[in-house]
Amino acid sequence: MDGRLVIAGTQKRVGKTTLTAGLIAALRRRSLTVQPFKVGPDYIDPTYHSLRSGRSCRNLDTWMLPPERVRSLFARAARSADVAIIEGVMGLYDGADYDAETGSTAEVAKLLGHP
């Protein structure tokens, strides 16, 4: 896989899903294989990403899965893609706890070493 990108926002409802779906569609028009991911336990947004990419969107949820499992899930799903696009959850640092990054987009980005 050559490219990877995390789409994050300052809070929920700022257009992350619209931007992510549009980016996936644009990359596919350039004949790239795009593997979509969604941070957290969401099931609606991944449906849009799957439709746009033609591949099953995978959830990356560090609240429910240990970090090693999230890394291996990402690596296995992204292996045959040209680009991996990860849509974040709510705001960049919003997660399961008020005072920790657990389950946040920031935590997943750090865990996977993504910009």
Side-chain angles (χ1 to χ4, degrees), residues 27-90:
L27 292 169
R28 280 201 69 200
R29 270 188 246 118
R30 292 183 176 215
S31 299
L32 293 172
T33 302
V34 181
Q35 177 58 55
F37 296 91
K38 173 68 180 173
V39 176
D42 195 329
Y43 63 93
I44 296 172
D45 295 350
T47 304
Y48 299 126
H49 303 335
S50 294
L51 288 171
R52 291 286 180 235
S53 68
R55 295 169 64 105
S56 293
C57 182
R58 306 290 183 204
N59 291 75
L60 303 173
D61 191 344
T62 55
W63 183 76
M64 294 182 75
L65 297 172
E68 306 79 37
R69 182 73 176 122
V70 172
R71 277 192 209 101
S72 68
L73 177 98
F74 175 83
R76 187 173 49 251
R79 180 178 24 224
S80 62
D82 298 311
V83 181
I85 303 290
I86 301 173
E87 181 190 343
V89 62
M90 299 182 289

